[in-house]
Amino acid sequence: MTFSSPAPTDEDIRAIVAPMTSLEGPLLPMLHALQDEYGVIPDIAVPVLADVLNLSRAEVHGVISFYHDFRKSPAGKHILKICRAEACQSMGGEALAESTLARLGIDWHDTTQNGAVTVEPVYCLGMCACAPAAMLDDRVIARLDRARMDKLLDEAGA
Amino acid sequence: MKIWVPMDSAAKALGADEVAEAITREAASRGIDAQIIRNGTRGMIWLEPLVEIDRGDGRLAYGPVGVDDVPALLDGAMDSLGPVENIPFFARQTRLTFARCGIIDPLDLDDYQAHGGLAGLRRAIAMTREDIVQQVTDSGLRGRGGAGFPTGIKWKTVMQAEAAQKYIVCNADEGDSGTFADRMIMEGDPFTLIEGMAIAGIGVGATRGYVYLRSEYPDAIKVMNAAVRIARDRGMLGQSVLGSDHEFDMQIRVGAGAYVCGEETSLLNSLEGKRGVVRAKPPLPALEGFLGKPTVVNNVISLATVPVIFERGAEHYAGLGHNKSRGTATLQIAGNVRHGGLFEAGFGITLGEVVNDIAGGTASGRPVKAVQVGGPLGAYMPVEKFDTKMGYEEFDAEGGLIGHAGLVVFDDSADMLRMARFAMEFCAVESCGKCTPCRIGAVRGVETIDRIAAGDAAAADLLTDLCETMKDGSLCALGGFTPYPVMSALRNFPDDFATQKEAAE
Ligand SMILES: Cc1cc2nc3c(=O)[nH]c(=O)nc-3n(C[C@H](O)[C@H](O)[C@H](O)COP(=O)(O)O)c2cc1C
Ligand code: FES
């Protein structure tokens, strides 16, 4: 996941969302497509989406800010989501999360200094019978312990 | 030789992809002619990656298999667990909804049909709308998403509503900790869900369907999208479902990381592209749902159970279960357990049987302290309540709920004050913000629990009052049910709320 392309233009945004205009309820699919492309929802997308969907900018902005998934500022090269929900807690997930953040020297939602990893909380990955679990980008890893987590962080270049 | 290696994301999270690669490699180097099939999981997660091999005399199970075990596995030198059907955890189950999961290749529609798939849809196509809905009512099926509302009654309301367009919306937001049944069936037998939605569409007169699938499940999203494409190509979806006069098609939509979007009205707003805030009811989604049109909103398991009801008949399904909870419960045994996974059996089994006999107690080997049943809005059940039977009314009578039937086991190292605090914190993070009791109440709840922890004895009464306010005044069950875990922790584990105070005295 590296996003180093120049800032998108009005036309870039329109081209990405154009295939979705005929969907019923197109805004979320459009936002996902934009984030897949740029790693964030670019600022310029707000007025363009407002225009395309005949909404106010405030409405578009309100939707973007409501959902945990949509980013306004870029993440690191990789996103590590650590599960904080109950089943993972029952298997020591909280201590694992703390030691991970301590090793990286960052807090939740922060990115390591070298830009390699952003750590986000997540509430359940459906791995509750093999907890604790985390997700590095789109890959889920279960029955984590410190050794497995260290290996994961090394792979991610943290 | 046929070899099955699950592609379920829990199996993959435990190394199934690496094992599949190693098998391919080693088989080639040994000159073994092996057909490798990526199946769903059989649901015994402690045995994953669970590999099955058929050398011509039936499927034998091996697990957990690591990459290092592969040479021995192929040389026949690894001990087998025997046929999956003989493993006690599996042998005790009654698999209806999950009958095919782990057995077939999830994306092979022919394999699906060879195992009973599409029989229910074919039967439904030959029935009137009224008869379809009546079958569902007669089966006694109740919503598996949490509220336990009779599915047939919901369908009837939508069937009778007059509108140019109606919708079937599948709730695949599965945000509850301790639950993974929706994920398992979508990854392991996706056509079952598609078939169930098609039957629902034909039954109520809806031609369009959506699955609202959480973004935290990238594998399930891929499998469902692929399955919908195949179903469309093969005429199971489209203008003429299986060549009939009925039209039904569907799409997969991806959520964006908001727990509250599992609440049906919030989900509908989200699907429409709005903020996922809860709508006031009435109007019921059945009458004014997606885009204001009559809409069936059902959980994945509710819909995925419909095909087997039509395949085997409503009486067969209703013949299982206990009191007003008919059919099977798809229990998800999770947390600190020795044998975790999916366990499908008729309602009526006791909580203690599940935790002690089936799950074999804790993974840590320490005594069980509490079991949270029904997700983050469910009660913490103490060991004293282990004779509670799995059933909607039975749990309600004990101050709990079954919800989506997830069970999270905690050993005696759990601090129930911390768990109560977490419940409030979670509610504060995930509140949609529309109603004050939930939005503000949850924040006050965290503060109040911190006061109890600091030794303020009066704060426990405050917490009780606050919970009453949240219960009575919240717009939806997020604020309304957060008091379940909080109050059950306080009532059932008073010692955990007293330690700080006593230490200070
Ligand atoms: C905060 C909250 C979260 C919910 N999350 C889910 C969910 O993830 N999946 C689900 O099926 N139902 C969930 N529900 C229940 C739904 O509102 C609704 O009852 C259900 O989708 C109806 O389908 P069913 O009758 O088949 O259970 C949730 C409810 C609340 C209040
Ligand atoms: S609670 Fe962590 S994966 Fe479900």
Side-chain angles (χ1 to χ4, degrees), chain A residues 84-115:
Chain A
R84 301 193 73 185
E86 290 90 340
C88 285
Q89 290 185 41
S90 79
M91 290 299 282
E94 203 65 353
L96 180 73
E98 274 165 29
S99 71
T100 305
L101 291 171
R103 174 185 153 173
L104 299 176
I106 57 173
D107 208 340
W108 294 108
H109 310 291
D110 290 348
T111 303
T112 53
Q113 278 216 315
N114 66 0

Short mmCIF file of all heavy atoms in Angstrom, two decimals, chain A residues 84-115:
data_model
loop_
_atom_site.label_atom_id
_atom_site.label_comp_id
_atom_site.label_asym_id
_atom_site.label_seq_id
_atom_site.Cartn_x
_atom_site.Cartn_y
_atom_site.Cartn_z
N ARG A 84 -9.79 -5.32 19.92
CA ARG A 84 -9.92 -4.96 21.33
C ARG A 84 -11.20 -5.51 21.96
O ARG A 84 -11.53 -5.17 23.10
CB ARG A 84 -9.93 -3.43 21.49
CG ARG A 84 -8.71 -2.75 20.96
CD ARG A 84 -8.66 -1.32 21.43
NE ARG A 84 -8.33 -1.21 22.84
CZ ARG A 84 -8.32 -0.06 23.53
NH1 ARG A 84 -8.63 1.07 22.93
NH2 ARG A 84 -8.00 -0.05 24.81
N ALA A 85 -11.95 -6.33 21.24
CA ALA A 85 -13.25 -6.75 21.75
C ALA A 85 -13.11 -7.90 22.76
O ALA A 85 -12.02 -8.40 23.02
CB ALA A 85 -14.17 -7.12 20.60
N GLU A 86 -14.26 -8.29 23.31
CA GLU A 86 -14.27 -9.14 24.50
C GLU A 86 -13.56 -10.47 24.36
O GLU A 86 -12.80 -10.87 25.25
CB GLU A 86 -15.72 -9.39 24.96
CG GLU A 86 -16.42 -8.16 25.54
CD GLU A 86 -17.15 -7.34 24.51
OE1 GLU A 86 -16.83 -7.46 23.30
OE2 GLU A 86 -18.04 -6.56 24.88
N ALA A 87 -13.82 -11.20 23.25
CA ALA A 87 -13.22 -12.54 23.14
C ALA A 87 -11.70 -12.43 23.10
O ALA A 87 -10.99 -13.26 23.68
CB ALA A 87 -13.75 -13.26 21.90
N CYS A 88 -11.20 -11.42 22.43
CA CYS A 88 -9.75 -11.24 22.39
C CYS A 88 -9.24 -10.83 23.78
O CYS A 88 -8.17 -11.28 24.20
CB CYS A 88 -9.36 -10.25 21.31
SG CYS A 88 -9.47 -11.00 19.65
N GLN A 89 -10.00 -10.02 24.49
CA GLN A 89 -9.61 -9.66 25.86
C GLN A 89 -9.51 -10.90 26.74
O GLN A 89 -8.62 -10.99 27.59
CB GLN A 89 -10.62 -8.71 26.48
CG GLN A 89 -10.60 -7.31 25.88
CD GLN A 89 -11.55 -6.38 26.63
OE1 GLN A 89 -11.64 -6.40 27.84
NE2 GLN A 89 -12.27 -5.57 25.88
N SER A 90 -10.43 -11.85 26.53
CA SER A 90 -10.44 -13.05 27.39
C SER A 90 -9.18 -13.89 27.20
O SER A 90 -8.87 -14.74 28.01
CB SER A 90 -11.68 -13.91 27.11
OG SER A 90 -11.49 -14.67 25.93
N MET A 91 -8.48 -13.63 26.09
CA MET A 91 -7.25 -14.38 25.80
C MET A 91 -6.01 -13.49 25.85
O MET A 91 -5.01 -13.75 25.17
CB MET A 91 -7.36 -15.05 24.42
CG MET A 91 -8.36 -16.20 24.38
SD MET A 91 -7.93 -17.56 25.50
CE MET A 91 -6.63 -18.36 24.55
N GLY A 92 -6.10 -12.42 26.60
CA GLY A 92 -4.92 -11.58 26.80
C GLY A 92 -4.67 -10.54 25.72
O GLY A 92 -3.55 -10.05 25.59
N GLY A 93 -5.69 -10.22 24.96
CA GLY A 93 -5.53 -9.27 23.87
C GLY A 93 -5.11 -7.88 24.30
O GLY A 93 -4.35 -7.20 23.61
N GLU A 94 -5.62 -7.47 25.46
CA GLU A 94 -5.33 -6.12 25.93
C GLU A 94 -3.83 -5.95 26.23
O GLU A 94 -3.21 -4.97 25.81
CB GLU A 94 -6.17 -5.83 27.18
CG GLU A 94 -6.40 -4.38 27.46
CD GLU A 94 -7.25 -3.68 26.39
OE1 GLU A 94 -7.57 -4.30 25.33
OE2 GLU A 94 -7.57 -2.52 26.60
N ALA A 95 -3.25 -6.94 26.90
CA ALA A 95 -1.82 -6.88 27.23
C ALA A 95 -0.98 -6.91 25.95
O ALA A 95 0.02 -6.20 25.82
CB ALA A 95 -1.44 -8.04 28.14
N LEU A 96 -1.42 -7.72 25.01
CA LEU A 96 -0.70 -7.82 23.74
C LEU A 96 -0.74 -6.48 23.01
O LEU A 96 0.28 -6.01 22.47
CB LEU A 96 -1.32 -8.90 22.86
CG LEU A 96 -0.64 -9.10 21.50
CD1 LEU A 96 0.70 -9.79 21.66
CD2 LEU A 96 -1.53 -9.90 20.56
N ALA A 97 -1.89 -5.84 23.00
CA ALA A 97 -2.03 -4.54 22.34
C ALA A 97 -1.11 -3.51 23.01
O ALA A 97 -0.41 -2.75 22.34
CB ALA A 97 -3.48 -4.08 22.38
N GLU A 98 -1.12 -3.52 24.35
CA GLU A 98 -0.28 -2.56 25.07
C GLU A 98 1.20 -2.76 24.76
O GLU A 98 1.93 -1.80 24.52
CB GLU A 98 -0.51 -2.69 26.58
CG GLU A 98 -1.69 -1.87 27.07
CD GLU A 98 -2.13 -2.28 28.47
OE1 GLU A 98 -1.28 -2.76 29.26
OE2 GLU A 98 -3.34 -2.14 28.77
N SER A 99 1.63 -4.04 24.76
CA SER A 99 3.05 -4.26 24.51
C SER A 99 3.42 -3.92 23.08
O SER A 99 4.53 -3.47 22.80
CB SER A 99 3.44 -5.71 24.87
OG SER A 99 2.90 -6.60 23.93
N THR A 100 2.46 -4.12 22.16
CA THR A 100 2.72 -3.77 20.77
C THR A 100 2.90 -2.26 20.61
O THR A 100 3.85 -1.79 19.98
CB THR A 100 1.57 -4.25 19.87
OG1 THR A 100 1.39 -5.65 20.09
CG2 THR A 100 1.86 -4.00 18.41
N LEU A 101 1.97 -1.51 21.22
CA LEU A 101 2.06 -0.05 21.13
C LEU A 101 3.34 0.44 21.80
O LEU A 101 4.01 1.35 21.30
CB LEU A 101 0.83 0.60 21.77
CG LEU A 101 -0.49 0.39 21.01
CD1 LEU A 101 -1.68 0.89 21.83
CD2 LEU A 101 -0.46 1.09 19.65
N ALA A 102 3.70 -0.21 22.93
CA ALA A 102 4.92 0.19 23.65
C ALA A 102 6.15 -0.06 22.78
O ALA A 102 7.04 0.77 22.68
CB ALA A 102 5.02 -0.57 24.97
N ARG A 103 6.17 -1.23 22.13
CA ARG A 103 7.32 -1.52 21.26
C ARG A 103 7.45 -0.50 20.14
O ARG A 103 8.54 -0.08 19.77
CB ARG A 103 7.18 -2.93 20.65
CG ARG A 103 8.28 -3.18 19.63
CD ARG A 103 8.21 -4.47 18.86
NE ARG A 103 8.89 -4.24 17.57
CZ ARG A 103 9.14 -5.16 16.67
NH1 ARG A 103 8.81 -6.40 16.91
NH2 ARG A 103 9.74 -4.85 15.53
N LEU A 104 6.30 -0.09 19.60
CA LEU A 104 6.33 0.86 18.48
C LEU A 104 6.47 2.30 18.97
O LEU A 104 6.77 3.20 18.18
CB LEU A 104 5.05 0.73 17.66
CG LEU A 104 4.81 -0.64 17.00
CD1 LEU A 104 3.47 -0.65 16.29
CD2 LEU A 104 5.93 -0.96 16.02
N GLY A 105 6.25 2.50 20.27
CA GLY A 105 6.35 3.84 20.82
C GLY A 105 5.27 4.78 20.32
O GLY A 105 5.47 5.98 20.16
N ILE A 106 4.09 4.23 20.05
CA ILE A 106 2.99 5.07 19.57
C ILE A 106 1.71 4.73 20.31
O ILE A 106 1.66 3.78 21.09
CB ILE A 106 2.74 4.89 18.05
CG1 ILE A 106 2.44 3.42 17.71
CG2 ILE A 106 3.93 5.40 17.26
CD1 ILE A 106 2.04 3.20 16.27
N ASP A 107 0.67 5.52 20.06
CA ASP A 107 -0.64 5.27 20.65
C ASP A 107 -1.59 4.79 19.55
O ASP A 107 -1.22 4.80 18.37
CB ASP A 107 -1.16 6.57 21.29
CG ASP A 107 -2.10 6.27 22.46
OD1 ASP A 107 -2.63 5.13 22.53
OD2 ASP A 107 -2.31 7.18 23.29
N TRP A 108 -2.81 4.41 19.94
CA TRP A 108 -3.82 4.03 18.95
C TRP A 108 -3.95 5.15 17.92
O TRP A 108 -3.85 6.33 18.26
CB TRP A 108 -5.18 3.80 19.63
CG TRP A 108 -5.21 2.62 20.55
CD1 TRP A 108 -5.26 2.66 21.92
CD2 TRP A 108 -5.22 1.23 20.20
NE1 TRP A 108 -5.28 1.38 22.43
CE2 TRP A 108 -5.27 0.48 21.40
CE3 TRP A 108 -5.19 0.54 18.98
CZ2 TRP A 108 -5.29 -0.91 21.42
CZ3 TRP A 108 -5.21 -0.85 19.00
CH2 TRP A 108 -5.26 -1.57 20.21
N HIS A 109 -4.21 4.79 16.70
CA HIS A 109 -4.43 5.70 15.55
C HIS A 109 -3.14 6.36 15.06
O HIS A 109 -3.17 7.08 14.07
CB HIS A 109 -5.45 6.81 15.87
CG HIS A 109 -6.74 6.32 16.45
ND1 HIS A 109 -7.64 5.59 15.71
CD2 HIS A 109 -7.28 6.43 17.69
CE1 HIS A 109 -8.68 5.28 16.48
NE2 HIS A 109 -8.48 5.78 17.68
N ASP A 110 -2.00 6.14 15.75
CA ASP A 110 -0.76 6.78 15.33
C ASP A 110 0.00 5.92 14.32
O ASP A 110 -0.28 4.73 14.15
CB ASP A 110 0.16 7.02 16.53
CG ASP A 110 -0.40 8.10 17.45
OD1 ASP A 110 -1.36 8.79 17.03
OD2 ASP A 110 0.11 8.23 18.58
N THR A 111 0.99 6.57 13.70
CA THR A 111 1.84 5.90 12.71
C THR A 111 3.28 5.92 13.23
O THR A 111 3.71 6.91 13.83
CB THR A 111 1.76 6.64 11.36
OG1 THR A 111 0.38 6.68 10.95
CG2 THR A 111 2.59 5.95 10.29
N THR A 112 3.98 4.82 12.99
CA THR A 112 5.38 4.77 13.43
C THR A 112 6.17 5.86 12.72
O THR A 112 5.82 6.27 11.61
CB THR A 112 6.02 3.40 13.12
OG1 THR A 112 5.82 3.12 11.73
CG2 THR A 112 5.41 2.29 13.95
N GLN A 113 7.27 6.28 13.36
CA GLN A 113 8.07 7.39 12.81
C GLN A 113 8.56 7.14 11.41
O GLN A 113 8.61 8.06 10.59
CB GLN A 113 9.26 7.63 13.74
CG GLN A 113 8.87 8.50 14.93
CD GLN A 113 9.99 9.43 15.30
OE1 GLN A 113 11.14 9.00 15.36
NE2 GLN A 113 9.67 10.69 15.55
N ASN A 114 8.89 5.87 11.11
CA ASN A 114 9.39 5.57 9.76
C ASN A 114 8.25 5.42 8.75
O ASN A 114 8.48 5.08 7.60
CB ASN A 114 10.28 4.33 9.78
CG ASN A 114 9.50 3.06 10.14
OD1 ASN A 114 8.29 3.11 10.38
ND2 ASN A 114 10.19 1.93 10.18
N GLY A 115 7.02 5.66 9.22
CA GLY A 115 5.88 5.61 8.29
C GLY A 115 5.47 4.21 7.87
O GLY A 115 4.65 4.04 6.97
#
